[in-house]
């Protein structure tokens, strides 16, 4: 393949693992974050990050998460951060990121020798987290390991910075959904469209409408030609150029992967800007395509670890690929039963946004965690985690799903077990609990462990066996249900409440919100109509099981 025009000889120049506080701020740019305090200077190195929400302040952090150098405090009050940091003793993080911390909070945190980074209140935390990860990933590239001469580059941020240097403009690289993937530093030259795009918000509707009206967005999606956008002073829109990023192809037009936007700064663009952008688009296409392949490959590795390709897994290979010791103790947390409307019986699969949020939440709890989906369920593998802390984390994850996406989910913690080879067994155990919860939701807690769910699981499987074999169903119960439907009586639910409360009339009548004498009358009526002897313990057992079987159609 020919070298990309205009970009020969760009090298990734990273001389150490991790990145200094000052360098991280330069990468994020003043659009997103600014330094509020740096008691240990700007050269202190950050090489790990964790995302913390209010629930995490009340939970014992996993050891690896506690050792993070940078904490992103999502929705956490700055004053609460001070007390939380005091619990670290002498092992303080390098820095914390907060939105609009007060001067007093900044001073108190700085007294603990922790840097404070003030994040723009309009920025999205997920965007900040991903950008920090990309900066850290780029810093781990060995010097000269990848070069544009070889047709590759380690990071889109490096590409954006080099294009900006050569063209004299401000660069933003977006994906096919117009989400910013990387950008160059801007100073105070960025216009409103660029600023809001970097923050993770949509640009002003009138700007986007203007771009659509003049066919700019359509041109990017349908052609490979350079698109010019004129200045619109009334909208605060500076002149800019744009070029589409397309998947590599031998002939024809490749798939649309995104676009590179070049906003004009104080100076005019360089003379060879069109060639530089063409080369940059080719390089960006390779990076994005490689990331897509890596992402799908990672998901496949996690699914294989969970037993999606058979119960036997190659622990050594998968452990090396995922960066997890093959003989580690692990837990598996299964999430299922997602209900957008809790009154519905059907469940839905998690959306990509839900999986993204779950992955971030799990990474904050344990950076070694891996997350993937199988069918309508999501799974998190947690190496070396404590069971009690994991149950508490799972509760916070379920609560976050309710707040963020309006869904009711269930979580089951399986394990611990020794060795990655047992991950499929743990998944199967967790699935068994989730399957039973679809039938016996009243006996299985929304967040539970496999051991704590034994009764509900066994009962659910017994009921399923009866349902699959109609000859095991007590016909007297079916006749009673048919009589209720025909006459409008409520003898069947009264019978179930009576049995569920072990014959305690007062407790059962309270659950039904009726008078105890009304329930006594109904139970006598049931025995008269069906001949069921409720004084016989064997009869009570058979009837109670039948009452849990969904009534067959017809």
């Amino acid at each position: 393949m020919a070298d990309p025009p205009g970009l020969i000889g760009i090298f990734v120049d990273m001389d150490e693992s991790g990145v200094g506080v000052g360098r991280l701020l330069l990468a994020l740019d003043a659009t997103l974050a600014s330094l509020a305090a740096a008691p240990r200077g700007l050269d202190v190195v950050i090489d790990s990050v964790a995302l913390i929400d209010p629930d995490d302040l009340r939970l014992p952090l996993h050891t690896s998460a506690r050792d993070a150098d940078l904490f992103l405090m999502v929705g956490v009050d700055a004053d609460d951060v001070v007390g939380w940091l005091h619990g670290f003793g002498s092992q303080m993080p390098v820095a914390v990121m907060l939105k609009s911390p007060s001067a007093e909070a900044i001073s108190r945190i700085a007294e603990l020798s922790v840097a404070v980074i003030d994040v723009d209140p309009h920025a999205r935390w997920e965007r900040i987290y991903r950008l920090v990860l990309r900066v850290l990933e780029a810093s781990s590239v060995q010097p000269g390991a990848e070069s544009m001469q070889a047709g590759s580059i380690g990071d889109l941020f490096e590409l954006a910075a080099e294009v900006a240097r050569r063209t004299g403009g401000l660069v933003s690289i977006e994906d096919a959904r117009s989400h910013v993937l990387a950008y160059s530093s801007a100073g105070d030259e960025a216009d409103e469209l660029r600023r809001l795009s970097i923050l993770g918000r949509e640009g002003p509707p009138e700007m986007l409408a203007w771009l659509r009206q003049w066919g700019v967005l359509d041109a990017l999606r349908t052609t490979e030609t350079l698109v010019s956008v004129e200045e619109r002073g009334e909208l605060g829109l500076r002149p800019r150029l744009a070029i589409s990023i397309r998947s590599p192809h031998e002939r024809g037009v490749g798939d649309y992967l995104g676009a590179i936007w070049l906003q004009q700064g104080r100076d005019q663009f360089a003379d060879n800007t069109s060639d530089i952008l063409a080369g940059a688009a080719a390089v960006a296409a390779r990076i994005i395509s490689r990331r897509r392949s890596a992402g799908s490959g990672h998901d496949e590795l996690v699914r294989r670890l969970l037993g999606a390709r058979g119960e036997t897994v190659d622990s050594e290979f998968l452990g090396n690929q995922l960066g997890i010791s093959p003989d580690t103790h692990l837990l598996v947390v299964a999430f299922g039963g997602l209900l957008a409307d809790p009154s519905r019986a059907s469940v839905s699969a998690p959306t990509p946004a839900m999986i993204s949020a779950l992955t971030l939440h799990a990474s904050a709890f344990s950076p070694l965690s891996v997350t993937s989906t199988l069918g309508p369920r999501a799974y998190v593998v947690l190496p070396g985690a404590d069971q009690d802390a994991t149950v508490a984390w799972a509760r916070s994850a379920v609560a976050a799903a309710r707040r963020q996406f309006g869904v009711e989910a269930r979580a089951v913690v399986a394990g611990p077990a020794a060795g990655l080879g047992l991950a499929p067994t743990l998944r199967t155990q967790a699935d068994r609990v989730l399957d039973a919860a679809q039938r016996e939701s009243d006996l299985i807690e929304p967040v539970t462990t496999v051991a704590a769910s034994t009764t509900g699981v066994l009962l659910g499987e017994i009921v399923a066996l009866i349902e699959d074999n109609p000859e095991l169903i007590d016909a007297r119960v079916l006749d009673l249900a048919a009589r209720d439907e025909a006459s409008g009586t409520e003898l069947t639910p009264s019978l179930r409440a009576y049995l569920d409360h072990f014959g305690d009339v007062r407790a059962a009548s309270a659950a039904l919100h009726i008078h105890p004498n009304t329930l006594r009358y109904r139970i006598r009526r049931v025995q008269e109509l069906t001949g069921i002897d409720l004084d016989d313990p064997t009869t009570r057992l058979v009837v109670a099981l039948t009452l849990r079987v969904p009534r067959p159609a017809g």
Side-chain angles (χ1 to χ4, degrees), residues 192-468:
E192 192 69 359
L193 178 58
R194 174 187 166 90
R195 191 183 73 84
L196 291 177
S197 297
I198 290 175
L199 287 173
R201 308 284 174 175
E202 292 184 355
E206 60 270 23
M207 288 188 185
L208 297 179
W210 183 83
L211 292 175
R212 292 190 185 94
Q213 178 183 344
W214 285 91
V216 173
L217 301 183
D218 285 342
L220 286 173
R221 292 181 176 277
T222 57
T223 70
E224 295 178 284
T225 59
L226 193 66
V227 179
S228 177
V229 181
E230 297 179 0
E231 182 173 12
R232 291 294 295 266
E234 69 277 16
L235 297 177
L237 190 67
R238 301 290 298 278
R240 56 193 0 99
L241 298 173
I243 191 168
S244 63
I245 303 170
R246 298 190 175 277
S247 57
H249 59 90
E250 294 183 1
R251 55 181 176 271
V253 179
D255 294 334
Y256 180 71
L257 302 179
I260 298 177
W261 292 86
L262 183 66
Q263 180 208 309
Q264 184 176 308
R266 294 189 180 92
D267 303 321
Q268 297 294 318
F269 294 133
D271 293 338
N272 61 341
T273 290
S274 59
D275 288 338
I276 293 173
L277 285 177
V283 175
R286 296 172 192 171
I287 297 173
I288 294 173
S289 297
R290 189 166 66 244
R291 282 184 176 176
R292 283 187 172 183
S293 298
S296 60
H298 175 83
D299 287 344
E300 178 61 22
L301 288 172
V302 180
R303 292 187 180 110
R304 286 171 60 184
L305 175 63
L306 290 167
R309 300 294 179 264
E311 292 297 318
T312 302
V313 301
D314 187 339
S315 301
E316 196 74 33
F317 170 76
L318 293 176
N320 289 335
Q321 294 294 312
L322 296 171
I324 303 172
S325 173
D327 57 356
T328 187
H329 281 68
L330 72 152
L331 295 162
V332 172
V333 185
F335 293 86
L338 295 174
L339 297 176
D341 179 357
S343 65
R344 293 183 341 203
S346 60
V347 298
S348 57
T351 65
M354 293 177 190
I355 296 303
S356 177
L358 178 61
T359 301
L360 293 179
H361 202 61
S363 298
F365 176 63
S366 173
L368 289 177
S369 66
V370 290
T371 304
S372 191
T373 58
L374 289 173
R377 291 172 182 168
Y379 301 87
V380 179
V381 180
L382 296 165
D386 174 78
Q387 187 184 64
D388 290 341
T390 298
V391 171
W393 169 78
R395 288 196 180 97
S396 70
V398 168
R402 185 183 304 113
R403 291 193 308 268
Q404 202 169 347
F405 302 104
V407 298
E408 294 295 332
R410 286 184 171 275
V412 178
V413 178
L420 293 183
L422 293 176
T425 301
L426 297 182
R427 177 181 70 87
T428 300
Q429 292 174 355
D431 281 341
R432 189 180 176 194
V433 177
L434 289 176
D435 291 341
Q438 293 180 11
R439 297 179 178 276
E440 303 301 324
S441 59
D442 57 328
L443 293 181
I444 298 178
E445 295 292 327
V447 178
T448 186
T449 64
V450 170
S453 308
T454 300
T455 299
V457 169
L458 293 176
L459 180 58
E461 292 177 352
I462 291 171
V463 171
L465 179 65
I466 296 174
E467 183 180 8
D468 293 339

Side-chain angles (χ1 to χ4, degrees), residues 23 32 34 45 81 129-130 185 189 212 221 239 254 259 266 291 296 304 311 325 410 466 469 475 484-485 516 522 538:
R23 191 171 181 184
L32 287 174
S34 59
V45 173
V81 175
Y129 185 79
R130 292 188 180 279
S185 296
E189 301 176 43
R212 292 190 185 94
R221 292 181 176 277
R266 294 189 180 92
R291 282 184 176 176
S296 60
R304 286 171 60 184
E311 292 297 318
S325 173
R410 286 184 171 275
I466 296 174
N469 296 272
D484 275 344
E485 186 173 335
R522 290 179 181 178
T538 305

Side-chain angles (χ1 to χ4, degrees), residues 395-545:
R395 288 196 180 97
S396 70
V398 168
R402 185 183 304 113
R403 291 193 308 268
Q404 202 169 347
F405 302 104
V407 298
E408 294 295 332
R410 286 184 171 275
V412 178
V413 178
L420 293 183
L422 293 176
T425 301
L426 297 182
R427 177 181 70 87
T428 300
Q429 292 174 355
D431 281 341
R432 189 180 176 194
V433 177
L434 289 176
D435 291 341
Q438 293 180 11
R439 297 179 178 276
E440 303 301 324
S441 59
D442 57 328
L443 293 181
I444 298 178
E445 295 292 327
V447 178
T448 186
T449 64
V450 170
S453 308
T454 300
T455 299
V457 169
L458 293 176
L459 180 58
E461 292 177 352
I462 291 171
V463 171
L465 179 65
I466 296 174
E467 183 180 8
D468 293 339
N469 296 272
E471 67 275 11
L472 299 178
I473 297 176
D474 190 328
R476 296 172 296 181
V477 175
L478 295 180
D479 291 341
L480 186 65
R483 186 183 298 273
D484 275 344
E485 186 173 335
S487 60
T489 55
E490 297 184 5
L491 299 179
T492 304
S494 299
L495 176 59
R496 174 162 180 172
Y498 177 78
L499 293 174
D500 284 349
H501 289 83
F502 307 101
D504 186 333
V505 173
R506 292 193 176 279
S509 61
L512 293 170
H513 305 291
I514 60 176
H515 194 277
N517 288 340
T518 302
L519 180 59
R520 291 189 182 95
Y521 167 76
R522 290 179 181 178
I523 296 304
R524 287 196 301 271
R525 187 64 176 153
V526 166
Q527 295 182 94
E528 292 171 359
L529 293 172
T530 64
I532 293 175
D533 181 7
L534 294 178
D535 292 328
D536 177 44
T538 305
T539 300
R540 291 199 302 270
L541 174 62
V542 171
V543 172
L545 288 173

Side-chain angles (χ1 to χ4, degrees), residues 46-66:
I46 293 171
D47 62 14
S48 58
V49 59
L51 187 146
I52 302 296
D53 65 21
D55 291 331
D56 294 318
L57 298 189
R58 298 186 293 272
L59 298 175
L61 282 182
H62 189 270
T63 302
S64 52
R66 188 180 179 85

